[in-house]
C-alpha cells in the first residue's frame, strides 16, 4: 500500500489524480486538500485552505502529490522534501521560486522528487539511469498555446476567453493563461534547471503544436531520446504515483498506422517575451526566479479579472524584475519576503498602468 496525500484535489490535476488512485488498489488516499472548494468525504483526512503542512503531519503519507496552483504550494513542497517523503510535483511554481531551498531540503531528507509536469516527466524518463556527463542538452516542447503564429500586434486585444481556449491540454485557468503567454514554458525552463541540474544553455524550448513529443534529451554521442504519447496528464500523474512500477492507464499508446507528422518551430520571443524574461531571471539566479513567478501570478490574476491587457502581463513582470532586489534567500522567511516584494512591485505597476 502506498499512502497518498493529494493537495489541490479539486483542480484539473487533482481530479485526474483521483481517477488514477481509484483505479489502483495499491494506492490509498489518506489526505486531500483544496484551497476553497469543499472536499468532504474524499479521504480520511481533508482540509480546505490553511496550512497544508498540518494535514501532512497528521496523515503521514508515503507520497505527496502537490497539485496546488501557485506559490501557495511552497510550504508543502518544502515539508515533503525535508522529511524524505516522496514528492510528486505538479506545482512547478514552488520549485521555480524556491529551487535552491527545495534541493537543499531534498538533500537533507533523502526522498524522491518525481516531476508531474508532462515535459519534465518525459525528460526524467529519458534521463533515468544515464550519467550526467553523457547529457548534452534537453528540449522541452511547447504547444504554442492558442495564439501560436500571431504577431505582437495581433495579441493586443485578446481576451481571457481567447487565452483560456487551449488547443491540446485541458488545465486550470492560471497555467492555461501561462501557456498562452509562454510564461509556462519559461517556468518550465527554470523547473528543469533545478530538477536535472542543467545549465540554462543546455535547456532548449521548441514549439510543437500537437504536443505529441513531450521532451527530448540529446546525448554527447549524437543520440537523442524522446518521449511521445497522446497529451493526457493521467500518464505523468500515474507514472509519478506508481513510480517505479509504471502501472497501466486507460490512455492508449500512440497509433502510427495512419501516419504521423511531427512539426517543430522556434518560439517567437518578440510576441511572447515572458519566455525570454523567465530564462533571464533563471540565469540571474538568487530570488529573481521567485520575483518572476510572483509578478507573473499578480499579472495573470489581473488579466483574468480584465484589469490588464494580455501584453501587459509581460510589461508588469519586466518592471517588477527590473526593480527586484534579487539577492539570495537563505531561508523560507527571506523567500516569502522576496515574493511579497515582487508582488508589491507588480501591484504598483498595475495601478500606474
Ligand atoms: P487548478 O486551478 O485546476 O487547481 C488548483 C488546485 O489548487 C485546486 O484544487 C485549488 O483548490 C487548489 N488551491 C489553490 N490555492 C490553494 C491553497 N492556498 N491551498 C490549498 N489548495 C489550493 O490548477 P491545475 O491546472 O490543476 O494546476 C495545478 C498545478 O499543476 C499548477 O502548479 C500547474 O502549473 C501544474 N500543472 C498542471 C497541469 C495541468 O494539466 N493542469 C500540467 C502541468 C502542471
Ligand atoms: Mg508542462
Amino acid at each position: 500500500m502506498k499512502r497518498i496525500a493529494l493537495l489541490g484535489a479539486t483542480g484539473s490535476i487533482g481530479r485526474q489524480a483521483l481517477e488514477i488512485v481509484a483505479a489502483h488498489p495499491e494506492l490509498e488516499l489518506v489526505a486531500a486538500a483544496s484551497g476553497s472548494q469543499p472536499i468532504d468525504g474524499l479521504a480520511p483526512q481533508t482540509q480546505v485552505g490553511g496550512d497544508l503542512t498540518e494535514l501532512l503531519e497528521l496523515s503521514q503519507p508515503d507520497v505527496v502529490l502537490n497539485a496546488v496552483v501557485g506559490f501557495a504550494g511552497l510550504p508543502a513542497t518544502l515539508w515533503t522534501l525535508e522529511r524524505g517523503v516522496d514528492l510528486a510535483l505538479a506545482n512547478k511554481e514552488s520549485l521555480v521560486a524556491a529551487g535552491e531551498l527545495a534541493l537543499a531540503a531534498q538533500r537533507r531528507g533523502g526522498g524522491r522528487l518525481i516531476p508531474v509536469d508532462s515535459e519534465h516527466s518525459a525528460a526524467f524518463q529519458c534521463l533515468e539511469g544515464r550519467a550526467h556527463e553523457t547529457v548534452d542538452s534537453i528540449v522541452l516542447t511547447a504547444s504554442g498555446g492558442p495564439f501560436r503564429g500571431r504577431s505582437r500586434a495581433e495579441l493586443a486585444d485578446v481576451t481571457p476567453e481567447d487565452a483560456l481556449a487551449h488547443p491540446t491540454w485541458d488545465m486550470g485557468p492560471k497555467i492555461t493563461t501561462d501557456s498562452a503567454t509562454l510564461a509556462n514554458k519559461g517556468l518550465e525552463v527554470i523547473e528543469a534547471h533545478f530538477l536535472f541540474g542543467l545549465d540554462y544553455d543546455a535547456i532548449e524550448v521548441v514549439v510543437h503544436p500537437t504536443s505529441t513529443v513531450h521532451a527530448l534529451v540529446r546525448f554527447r554521442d549524437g543520440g537523442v531520446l524522446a518521449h511521445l504519447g497522446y497529451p493526457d496528464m493521467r500518464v505523468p500523474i500515474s507514472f509519478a504515483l506508481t513510480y517505479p512500477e509504471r502501472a497501466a492507464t486507460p490512455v492508449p499508446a500512440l497509433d502510427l498506422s495512419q501516419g504521423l507528422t511531427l512539426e517543430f518551430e522556434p518560439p517567437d520571443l518578440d510576441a511572447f517575451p515572458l519566455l525570454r524574461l523567465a530564462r533571464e531571471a533563471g540565469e540571474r539566479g538568487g530570488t529573481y526566479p521567485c520575483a518572476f513567478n510572483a509578478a507573473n501570478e499578480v499579472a495573470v490574476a489581473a488579466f483574468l479579472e480584465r484589469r490588464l491587457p494580455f501584453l501587459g502581463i509581460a510589461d508588469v513582470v519586466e518592471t517588477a524584475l527590473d526593480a527586484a532586489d534579487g539577492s539570495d534567500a537563505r531561508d523560507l522567511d527571506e523567500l516569502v519576503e522576496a515574493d511579497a516584494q515582487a508582488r508589491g512591485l507588480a501591484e504598483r505597476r498595475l495601478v500606474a498602468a
Side-chain angles (χ1 to χ4, degrees), residues 8-16 33-37 49-50 52 67-70 72 90-93 117-118 170-173 175 184 233:
T10 55
S12 158
I13 294 287
R15 281 177 276 120
Q16 294 177 83
S34 74
S36 51
Q37 304 92 326
L52 300 182
V68 170
V69 60
N91 176 253
K92 64 189 86 185
E93 294 93 342
D117 214 343
S118 56
D170 181 12
M171 313 178 287
I175 182 176
N184 181 53
M233 288 306 295

PDB file of all heavy atoms in Angstrom, residues 8-16 33-37 49-50 52 67-70 72 90-93 117-118 170-173 175 184 233, ligand 1:
ATOM      1  N   GLY A   8      -4.600  20.025  -3.641  1.00  0.00           N
ATOM      2  CA  GLY A   8      -5.169  20.574  -4.874  1.00  0.00           C
ATOM      3  C   GLY A   8      -6.106  19.569  -5.506  1.00  0.00           C
ATOM      4  O   GLY A   8      -6.193  19.434  -6.723  1.00  0.00           O
ATOM      5  N   ALA A   9      -6.855  18.874  -4.642  1.00  0.00           N
ATOM      6  CA  ALA A   9      -7.662  17.722  -5.085  1.00  0.00           C
ATOM      7  C   ALA A   9      -8.816  18.114  -6.005  1.00  0.00           C
ATOM      8  O   ALA A   9      -9.319  17.273  -6.747  1.00  0.00           O
ATOM      9  CB  ALA A   9      -8.208  16.975  -3.868  1.00  0.00           C
ATOM     10  N   THR A  10      -9.238  19.380  -5.964  1.00  0.00           N
ATOM     11  CA  THR A  10     -10.402  19.789  -6.768  1.00  0.00           C
ATOM     12  C   THR A  10     -10.001  20.364  -8.127  1.00  0.00           C
ATOM     13  O   THR A  10     -10.864  20.712  -8.922  1.00  0.00           O
ATOM     14  CB  THR A  10     -11.228  20.859  -6.004  1.00  0.00           C
ATOM     15  OG1 THR A  10     -10.337  21.943  -5.665  1.00  0.00           O
ATOM     16  CG2 THR A  10     -11.832  20.289  -4.739  1.00  0.00           C
ATOM     17  N   GLY A  11      -8.711  20.464  -8.381  1.00  0.00           N
ATOM     18  CA  GLY A  11      -8.254  21.078  -9.630  1.00  0.00           C
ATOM     19  C   GLY A  11      -8.172  20.084 -10.774  1.00  0.00           C
ATOM     20  O   GLY A  11      -8.566  18.915 -10.656  1.00  0.00           O
ATOM     21  N   SER A  12      -7.636  20.566 -11.878  1.00  0.00           N
ATOM     22  CA  SER A  12      -7.510  19.734 -13.082  1.00  0.00           C
ATOM     23  C   SER A  12      -6.609  18.525 -12.816  1.00  0.00           C
ATOM     24  O   SER A  12      -6.981  17.373 -13.080  1.00  0.00           O
ATOM     25  CB  SER A  12      -6.958  20.613 -14.212  1.00  0.00           C
ATOM     26  OG  SER A  12      -6.351  19.851 -15.205  1.00  0.00           O
ATOM     27  N   ILE A  13      -5.430  18.761 -12.270  1.00  0.00           N
ATOM     28  CA  ILE A  13      -4.531  17.648 -11.936  1.00  0.00           C
ATOM     29  C   ILE A  13      -5.136  16.808 -10.823  1.00  0.00           C
ATOM     30  O   ILE A  13      -5.117  15.567 -10.877  1.00  0.00           O
ATOM     31  CB  ILE A  13      -3.149  18.187 -11.477  1.00  0.00           C
ATOM     32  CG1 ILE A  13      -2.423  18.897 -12.619  1.00  0.00           C
ATOM     33  CG2 ILE A  13      -2.291  17.067 -10.890  1.00  0.00           C
ATOM     34  CD1 ILE A  13      -1.878  17.999 -13.685  1.00  0.00           C
ATOM     35  N   GLY A  14      -5.694  17.470  -9.812  1.00  0.00           N
ATOM     36  CA  GLY A  14      -6.251  16.755  -8.659  1.00  0.00           C
ATOM     37  C   GLY A  14      -7.331  15.769  -9.063  1.00  0.00           C
ATOM     38  O   GLY A  14      -7.338  14.613  -8.623  1.00  0.00           O
ATOM     39  N   ARG A  15      -8.231  16.200  -9.942  1.00  0.00           N
ATOM     40  CA  ARG A  15      -9.335  15.310 -10.345  1.00  0.00           C
ATOM     41  C   ARG A  15      -8.820  14.122 -11.163  1.00  0.00           C
ATOM     42  O   ARG A  15      -9.301  12.994 -11.026  1.00  0.00           O
ATOM     43  CB  ARG A  15     -10.399  16.114 -11.119  1.00  0.00           C
ATOM     44  CG  ARG A  15     -11.302  16.916 -10.162  1.00  0.00           C
ATOM     45  CD  ARG A  15     -12.313  17.774 -10.907  1.00  0.00           C
ATOM     46  NE  ARG A  15     -11.703  19.043 -11.296  1.00  0.00           N
ATOM     47  CZ  ARG A  15     -11.582  19.485 -12.544  1.00  0.00           C
ATOM     48  NH1 ARG A  15     -12.017  18.753 -13.547  1.00  0.00           N
ATOM     49  NH2 ARG A  15     -11.039  20.657 -12.793  1.00  0.00           N
ATOM     50  N   GLN A  16      -7.831  14.376 -11.986  1.00  0.00           N
ATOM     51  CA  GLN A  16      -7.262  13.259 -12.767  1.00  0.00           C
ATOM     52  C   GLN A  16      -6.487  12.310 -11.850  1.00  0.00           C
ATOM     53  O   GLN A  16      -6.465  11.091 -12.067  1.00  0.00           O
ATOM     54  CB  GLN A  16      -6.364  13.806 -13.874  1.00  0.00           C
ATOM     55  CG  GLN A  16      -7.157  14.598 -14.912  1.00  0.00           C
ATOM     56  CD  GLN A  16      -6.269  15.202 -15.989  1.00  0.00           C
ATOM     57  OE1 GLN A  16      -5.917  14.527 -16.946  1.00  0.00           O
ATOM     58  NE2 GLN A  16      -5.900  16.454 -15.833  1.00  0.00           N
ATOM     59  N   ALA A  33      -6.664  17.926   0.047  1.00  0.00           N
ATOM     60  CA  ALA A  33      -6.819  19.340   0.407  1.00  0.00           C
ATOM     61  C   ALA A  33      -7.176  20.154  -0.824  1.00  0.00           C
ATOM     62  O   ALA A  33      -6.810  19.814  -1.947  1.00  0.00           O
ATOM     63  CB  ALA A  33      -5.519  19.875   1.012  1.00  0.00           C
ATOM     64  N   SER A  34      -7.897  21.252  -0.581  1.00  0.00           N
ATOM     65  CA  SER A  34      -8.182  22.215  -1.650  1.00  0.00           C
ATOM     66  C   SER A  34      -8.007  23.618  -1.070  1.00  0.00           C
ATOM     67  O   SER A  34      -7.808  23.784   0.136  1.00  0.00           O
ATOM     68  CB  SER A  34      -9.611  22.041  -2.162  1.00  0.00           C
ATOM     69  OG  SER A  34     -10.518  22.551  -1.217  1.00  0.00           O
ATOM     70  N   GLY A  35      -8.099  24.604  -1.947  1.00  0.00           N
ATOM     71  CA  GLY A  35      -7.954  25.988  -1.483  1.00  0.00           C
ATOM     72  C   GLY A  35      -9.238  26.519  -0.890  1.00  0.00           C
ATOM     73  O   GLY A  35      -9.251  27.088   0.199  1.00  0.00           O
ATOM     74  N   SER A  36     -10.359  26.305  -1.582  1.00  0.00           N
ATOM     75  CA  SER A  36     -11.623  26.847  -1.079  1.00  0.00           C
ATOM     76  C   SER A  36     -12.825  25.927  -1.341  1.00  0.00           C
ATOM     77  O   SER A  36     -13.789  25.967  -0.593  1.00  0.00           O
ATOM     78  CB  SER A  36     -11.879  28.232  -1.700  1.00  0.00           C
ATOM     79  OG  SER A  36     -11.746  28.162  -3.105  1.00  0.00           O
ATOM     80  N   GLN A  37     -12.763  25.085  -2.367  1.00  0.00           N
ATOM     81  CA  GLN A  37     -13.927  24.236  -2.674  1.00  0.00           C
ATOM     82  C   GLN A  37     -14.033  23.093  -1.658  1.00  0.00           C
ATOM     83  O   GLN A  37     -13.028  22.570  -1.200  1.00  0.00           O
ATOM     84  CB  GLN A  37     -13.815  23.606  -4.077  1.00  0.00           C
ATOM     85  CG  GLN A  37     -13.641  24.609  -5.191  1.00  0.00           C
ATOM     86  CD  GLN A  37     -12.169  24.862  -5.500  1.00  0.00           C
ATOM     87  OE1 GLN A  37     -11.318  24.834  -4.614  1.00  0.00           O
ATOM     88  NE2 GLN A  37     -11.878  25.133  -6.748  1.00  0.00           N
ATOM     89  N   GLY A  49      -8.171  24.981   2.564  1.00  0.00           N
ATOM     90  CA  GLY A  49      -7.405  26.190   2.886  1.00  0.00           C
ATOM     91  C   GLY A  49      -6.507  25.982   4.102  1.00  0.00           C
ATOM     92  O   GLY A  49      -6.382  24.876   4.626  1.00  0.00           O
ATOM     93  N   GLY A  50      -5.840  27.034   4.506  1.00  0.00           N
ATOM     94  CA  GLY A  50      -4.988  26.983   5.696  1.00  0.00           C
ATOM     95  C   GLY A  50      -3.633  26.360   5.416  1.00  0.00           C
ATOM     96  O   GLY A  50      -3.225  26.206   4.266  1.00  0.00           O
ATOM     97  N   LEU A  52      -1.277  23.630   4.888  1.00  0.00           N
ATOM     98  CA  LEU A  52      -1.402  22.235   4.441  1.00  0.00           C
ATOM     99  C   LEU A  52      -0.400  21.314   5.139  1.00  0.00           C
ATOM    100  O   LEU A  52      -0.578  20.096   5.150  1.00  0.00           O
ATOM    101  CB  LEU A  52      -1.227  22.148   2.925  1.00  0.00           C
ATOM    102  CG  LEU A  52      -2.234  22.936   2.093  1.00  0.00           C
ATOM    103  CD1 LEU A  52      -1.973  22.723   0.607  1.00  0.00           C
ATOM    104  CD2 LEU A  52      -3.658  22.541   2.435  1.00  0.00           C
ATOM    105  N   ALA A  67      -0.492  19.364  -6.154  1.00  0.00           N
ATOM    106  CA  ALA A  67      -1.154  19.916  -7.343  1.00  0.00           C
ATOM    107  C   ALA A  67      -1.891  21.206  -6.992  1.00  0.00           C
ATOM    108  O   ALA A  67      -2.901  21.557  -7.597  1.00  0.00           O
ATOM    109  CB  ALA A  67      -2.111  18.895  -7.936  1.00  0.00           C
ATOM    110  N   VAL A  68      -1.363  21.899  -5.984  1.00  0.00           N
ATOM    111  CA  VAL A  68      -1.844  23.249  -5.669  1.00  0.00           C
ATOM    112  C   VAL A  68      -1.333  24.163  -6.775  1.00  0.00           C
ATOM    113  O   VAL A  68      -0.289  23.904  -7.378  1.00  0.00           O
ATOM    114  CB  VAL A  68      -1.287  23.691  -4.294  1.00  0.00           C
ATOM    115  CG1 VAL A  68      -1.554  25.168  -4.018  1.00  0.00           C
ATOM    116  CG2 VAL A  68      -1.881  22.823  -3.191  1.00  0.00           C
ATOM    117  N   VAL A  69      -2.049  25.235  -7.073  1.00  0.00           N
ATOM    118  CA  VAL A  69      -1.550  26.179  -8.065  1.00  0.00           C
ATOM    119  C   VAL A  69      -0.865  27.356  -7.354  1.00  0.00           C
ATOM    120  O   VAL A  69      -1.352  27.840  -6.340  1.00  0.00           O
ATOM    121  CB  VAL A  69      -2.685  26.668  -9.004  1.00  0.00           C
ATOM    122  CG1 VAL A  69      -3.803  27.374  -8.249  1.00  0.00           C
ATOM    123  CG2 VAL A  69      -2.135  27.566 -10.096  1.00  0.00           C
ATOM    124  N   GLY A  70       0.309  27.736  -7.853  1.00  0.00           N
ATOM    125  CA  GLY A  70       0.973  28.954  -7.396  1.00  0.00           C
ATOM    126  C   GLY A  70       1.872  28.782  -6.185  1.00  0.00           C
ATOM    127  O   GLY A  70       2.101  27.668  -5.683  1.00  0.00           O
ATOM    128  N   ALA A  72       1.434  29.309  -3.268  1.00  0.00           N
ATOM    129  CA  ALA A  72       0.759  28.721  -2.101  1.00  0.00           C
ATOM    130  C   ALA A  72       1.179  27.265  -1.884  1.00  0.00           C
ATOM    131  O   ALA A  72       1.030  26.732  -0.790  1.00  0.00           O
ATOM    132  CB  ALA A  72      -0.757  28.808  -2.273  1.00  0.00           C
ATOM    133  N   ALA A  90       3.497  18.590  -9.205  1.00  0.00           N
ATOM    134  CA  ALA A  90       2.867  19.313 -10.318  1.00  0.00           C
ATOM    135  C   ALA A  90       3.058  20.811 -10.123  1.00  0.00           C
ATOM    136  O   ALA A  90       3.177  21.559 -11.083  1.00  0.00           O
ATOM    137  CB  ALA A  90       1.380  18.975 -10.390  1.00  0.00           C
ATOM    138  N   ASN A  91       3.091  21.229  -8.858  1.00  0.00           N
ATOM    139  CA  ASN A  91       3.194  22.659  -8.508  1.00  0.00           C
ATOM    140  C   ASN A  91       4.572  23.212  -8.862  1.00  0.00           C
ATOM    141  O   ASN A  91       5.459  23.346  -8.014  1.00  0.00           O
ATOM    142  CB  ASN A  91       2.890  22.824  -7.000  1.00  0.00           C
ATOM    143  CG  ASN A  91       3.060  24.255  -6.526  1.00  0.00           C
ATOM    144  OD1 ASN A  91       4.030  24.570  -5.826  1.00  0.00           O
ATOM    145  ND2 ASN A  91       2.162  25.126  -6.900  1.00  0.00           N
ATOM    146  N   LYS A  92       4.777  23.523 -10.153  1.00  0.00           N
ATOM    147  CA  LYS A  92       6.088  23.980 -10.620  1.00  0.00           C
ATOM    148  C   LYS A  92       6.502  25.285  -9.973  1.00  0.00           C
ATOM    149  O   LYS A  92       7.692  25.561  -9.807  1.00  0.00           O
ATOM    150  CB  LYS A  92       6.083  24.113 -12.140  1.00  0.00           C
ATOM    151  CG  LYS A  92       5.146  25.160 -12.693  1.00  0.00           C
ATOM    152  CD  LYS A  92       5.030  25.071 -14.207  1.00  0.00           C
ATOM    153  CE  LYS A  92       3.974  24.079 -14.620  1.00  0.00           C
ATOM    154  NZ  LYS A  92       3.861  23.842 -16.046  1.00  0.00           N
ATOM    155  N   GLU A  93       5.493  26.127  -9.595  1.00  0.00           N
ATOM    156  CA  GLU A  93       5.824  27.440  -9.041  1.00  0.00           C
ATOM    157  C   GLU A  93       6.694  27.321  -7.788  1.00  0.00           C
ATOM    158  O   GLU A  93       7.559  28.173  -7.549  1.00  0.00           O
ATOM    159  CB  GLU A  93       4.542  28.223  -8.706  1.00  0.00           C
ATOM    160  CG  GLU A  93       3.700  28.614  -9.928  1.00  0.00           C
ATOM    161  CD  GLU A  93       2.604  27.594 -10.258  1.00  0.00           C
ATOM    162  OE1 GLU A  93       2.690  26.440  -9.783  1.00  0.00           O
ATOM    163  OE2 GLU A  93       1.664  27.957 -10.991  1.00  0.00           O
ATOM    164  N   ASP A 117       4.803  17.488 -14.176  1.00  0.00           N
ATOM    165  CA  ASP A 117       4.721  18.292 -15.391  1.00  0.00           C
ATOM    166  C   ASP A 117       5.099  17.369 -16.558  1.00  0.00           C
ATOM    167  O   ASP A 117       6.095  16.637 -16.478  1.00  0.00           O
ATOM    168  CB  ASP A 117       5.732  19.453 -15.270  1.00  0.00           C
ATOM    169  CG  ASP A 117       5.224  20.713 -15.938  1.00  0.00           C
ATOM    170  OD1 ASP A 117       4.290  20.622 -16.745  1.00  0.00           O
ATOM    171  OD2 ASP A 117       5.778  21.785 -15.649  1.00  0.00           O
ATOM    172  N   SER A 118       4.300  17.384 -17.621  1.00  0.00           N
ATOM    173  CA  SER A 118       4.460  16.336 -18.647  1.00  0.00           C
ATOM    174  C   SER A 118       5.848  16.355 -19.291  1.00  0.00           C
ATOM    175  O   SER A 118       6.445  15.292 -19.515  1.00  0.00           O
ATOM    176  CB  SER A 118       3.383  16.486 -19.724  1.00  0.00           C
ATOM    177  OG  SER A 118       3.422  17.775 -20.274  1.00  0.00           O
ATOM    178  N   ASP A 170      -6.232  20.416 -21.266  1.00  0.00           N
ATOM    179  CA  ASP A 170      -7.360  20.950 -20.505  1.00  0.00           C
ATOM    180  C   ASP A 170      -6.892  21.158 -19.064  1.00  0.00           C
ATOM    181  O   ASP A 170      -6.736  20.224 -18.308  1.00  0.00           O
ATOM    182  CB  ASP A 170      -8.515  19.936 -20.570  1.00  0.00           C
ATOM    183  CG  ASP A 170      -9.724  20.438 -19.828  1.00  0.00           C
ATOM    184  OD1 ASP A 170      -9.763  21.635 -19.469  1.00  0.00           O
ATOM    185  OD2 ASP A 170     -10.638  19.632 -19.587  1.00  0.00           O
ATOM    186  N   MET A 171      -6.631  22.425 -18.699  1.00  0.00           N
ATOM    187  CA  MET A 171      -5.927  22.709 -17.438  1.00  0.00           C
ATOM    188  C   MET A 171      -6.615  23.852 -16.694  1.00  0.00           C
ATOM    189  O   MET A 171      -7.516  24.496 -17.219  1.00  0.00           O
ATOM    190  CB  MET A 171      -4.473  23.115 -17.737  1.00  0.00           C
ATOM    191  CG  MET A 171      -3.762  22.198 -18.712  1.00  0.00           C
ATOM    192  SD  MET A 171      -2.080  22.730 -19.102  1.00  0.00           S
ATOM    193  CE  MET A 171      -2.397  24.150 -20.151  1.00  0.00           C
ATOM    194  N   GLY A 172      -6.163  24.146 -15.484  1.00  0.00           N
ATOM    195  CA  GLY A 172      -6.696  25.257 -14.703  1.00  0.00           C
ATOM    196  C   GLY A 172      -6.402  26.592 -15.382  1.00  0.00           C
ATOM    197  O   GLY A 172      -5.550  26.689 -16.264  1.00  0.00           O
ATOM    198  N   PRO A 173      -7.115  27.670 -14.956  1.00  0.00           N
ATOM    199  CA  PRO A 173      -7.015  28.962 -15.642  1.00  0.00           C
ATOM    200  C   PRO A 173      -5.634  29.625 -15.561  1.00  0.00           C
ATOM    201  O   PRO A 173      -5.212  30.286 -16.505  1.00  0.00           O
ATOM    202  CB  PRO A 173      -8.073  29.836 -14.944  1.00  0.00           C
ATOM    203  CG  PRO A 173      -8.411  29.125 -13.672  1.00  0.00           C
ATOM    204  CD  PRO A 173      -8.149  27.670 -13.900  1.00  0.00           C
ATOM    205  N   ILE A 175      -2.487  28.194 -15.308  1.00  0.00           N
ATOM    206  CA  ILE A 175      -1.497  27.577 -16.212  1.00  0.00           C
ATOM    207  C   ILE A 175      -1.950  27.715 -17.667  1.00  0.00           C
ATOM    208  O   ILE A 175      -1.116  27.837 -18.578  1.00  0.00           O
ATOM    209  CB  ILE A 175      -1.207  26.098 -15.840  1.00  0.00           C
ATOM    210  CG1 ILE A 175      -0.149  25.512 -16.773  1.00  0.00           C
ATOM    211  CG2 ILE A 175      -2.427  25.253 -15.808  1.00  0.00           C
ATOM    212  CD1 ILE A 175       0.292  24.107 -16.441  1.00  0.00           C
ATOM    213  N   ASN A 184       4.467  29.804 -19.054  1.00  0.00           N
ATOM    214  CA  ASN A 184       4.505  28.431 -18.551  1.00  0.00           C
ATOM    215  C   ASN A 184       5.797  27.737 -18.978  1.00  0.00           C
ATOM    216  O   ASN A 184       6.445  27.061 -18.182  1.00  0.00           O
ATOM    217  CB  ASN A 184       3.284  27.647 -19.044  1.00  0.00           C
ATOM    218  CG  ASN A 184       3.279  26.229 -18.528  1.00  0.00           C
ATOM    219  OD1 ASN A 184       3.393  25.993 -17.330  1.00  0.00           O
ATOM    220  ND2 ASN A 184       3.186  25.259 -19.427  1.00  0.00           N
ATOM    221  N   MET A 233      -2.647  14.128 -19.109  1.00  0.00           N
ATOM    222  CA  MET A 233      -1.892  14.242 -17.865  1.00  0.00           C
ATOM    223  C   MET A 233      -1.997  13.013 -16.978  1.00  0.00           C
ATOM    224  O   MET A 233      -1.226  12.855 -16.033  1.00  0.00           O
ATOM    225  CB  MET A 233      -2.337  15.488 -17.072  1.00  0.00           C
ATOM    226  CG  MET A 233      -1.889  16.813 -17.664  1.00  0.00           C
ATOM    227  SD  MET A 233      -0.096  16.920 -17.955  1.00  0.00           S
ATOM    228  CE  MET A 233       0.553  16.850 -16.292  1.00  0.00           C
TER     229      MET A 233
HETATM  230  P1  LIG B   1      -6.396  24.237 -10.946  1.00  0.00           P
HETATM  231  O1  LIG B   1      -6.622  25.698 -10.860  1.00  0.00           O
HETATM  232  O2  LIG B   1      -7.303  23.418 -11.783  1.00  0.00           O
HETATM  233  O3  LIG B   1      -6.405  23.606  -9.467  1.00  0.00           O
HETATM  234  C1  LIG B   1      -5.676  24.167  -8.430  1.00  0.00           C
HETATM  235  C2  LIG B   1      -5.934  23.417  -7.132  1.00  0.00           C
HETATM  236  O4  LIG B   1      -5.179  24.061  -6.094  1.00  0.00           O
HETATM  237  C3  LIG B   1      -7.399  23.442  -6.678  1.00  0.00           C
HETATM  238  O5  LIG B   1      -7.720  22.206  -6.063  1.00  0.00           O
HETATM  239  C4  LIG B   1      -7.408  24.543  -5.619  1.00  0.00           C
HETATM  240  O6  LIG B   1      -8.443  24.396  -4.656  1.00  0.00           O
HETATM  241  C5  LIG B   1      -6.041  24.340  -5.003  1.00  0.00           C
HETATM  242  N1  LIG B   1      -5.524  25.501  -4.286  1.00  0.00           N
HETATM  243  C6  LIG B   1      -5.367  26.759  -4.743  1.00  0.00           C
HETATM  244  N2  LIG B   1      -4.872  27.558  -3.782  1.00  0.00           N
HETATM  245  C7  LIG B   1      -4.699  26.777  -2.688  1.00  0.00           C
HETATM  246  C8  LIG B   1      -4.215  26.999  -1.378  1.00  0.00           C
HETATM  247  N3  LIG B   1      -3.836  28.218  -0.975  1.00  0.00           N
HETATM  248  N4  LIG B   1      -4.176  25.951  -0.518  1.00  0.00           N
HETATM  249  C9  LIG B   1      -4.603  24.725  -0.914  1.00  0.00           C
HETATM  250  N5  LIG B   1      -5.037  24.452  -2.148  1.00  0.00           N
HETATM  251  C10 LIG B   1      -5.095  25.461  -3.017  1.00  0.00           C
HETATM  252  O7  LIG B   1      -4.878  24.037 -11.411  1.00  0.00           O
HETATM  253  P2  LIG B   1      -4.206  22.807 -12.197  1.00  0.00           P
HETATM  254  O8  LIG B   1      -4.336  23.040 -13.647  1.00  0.00           O
HETATM  255  O9  LIG B   1      -4.692  21.517 -11.618  1.00  0.00           O
HETATM  256  O10 LIG B   1      -2.672  23.023 -11.856  1.00  0.00           O
HETATM  257  C11 LIG B   1      -2.157  22.714 -10.573  1.00  0.00           C
HETATM  258  C12 LIG B   1      -0.633  22.802 -10.616  1.00  0.00           C
HETATM  259  O11 LIG B   1      -0.155  21.815 -11.528  1.00  0.00           O
HETATM  260  C13 LIG B   1      -0.109  24.133 -11.141  1.00  0.00           C
HETATM  261  O12 LIG B   1       1.086  24.457 -10.483  1.00  0.00           O
HETATM  262  C14 LIG B   1       0.172  23.864 -12.599  1.00  0.00           C
HETATM  263  O13 LIG B   1       1.209  24.683 -13.114  1.00  0.00           O
HETATM  264  C15 LIG B   1       0.623  22.415 -12.548  1.00  0.00           C
HETATM  265  N6  LIG B   1       0.417  21.693 -13.798  1.00  0.00           N
HETATM  266  C16 LIG B   1      -0.839  21.498 -14.273  1.00  0.00           C
HETATM  267  C17 LIG B   1      -1.037  20.833 -15.460  1.00  0.00           C
HETATM  268  C18 LIG B   1      -2.429  20.564 -15.976  1.00  0.00           C
HETATM  269  O14 LIG B   1      -2.572  19.852 -16.972  1.00  0.00           O
HETATM  270  N7  LIG B   1      -3.486  21.071 -15.370  1.00  0.00           N
HETATM  271  C19 LIG B   1       0.058  20.367 -16.189  1.00  0.00           C
HETATM  272  C20 LIG B   1       1.345  20.582 -15.680  1.00  0.00           C
HETATM  273  C21 LIG B   1       1.498  21.241 -14.484  1.00  0.00           C
END
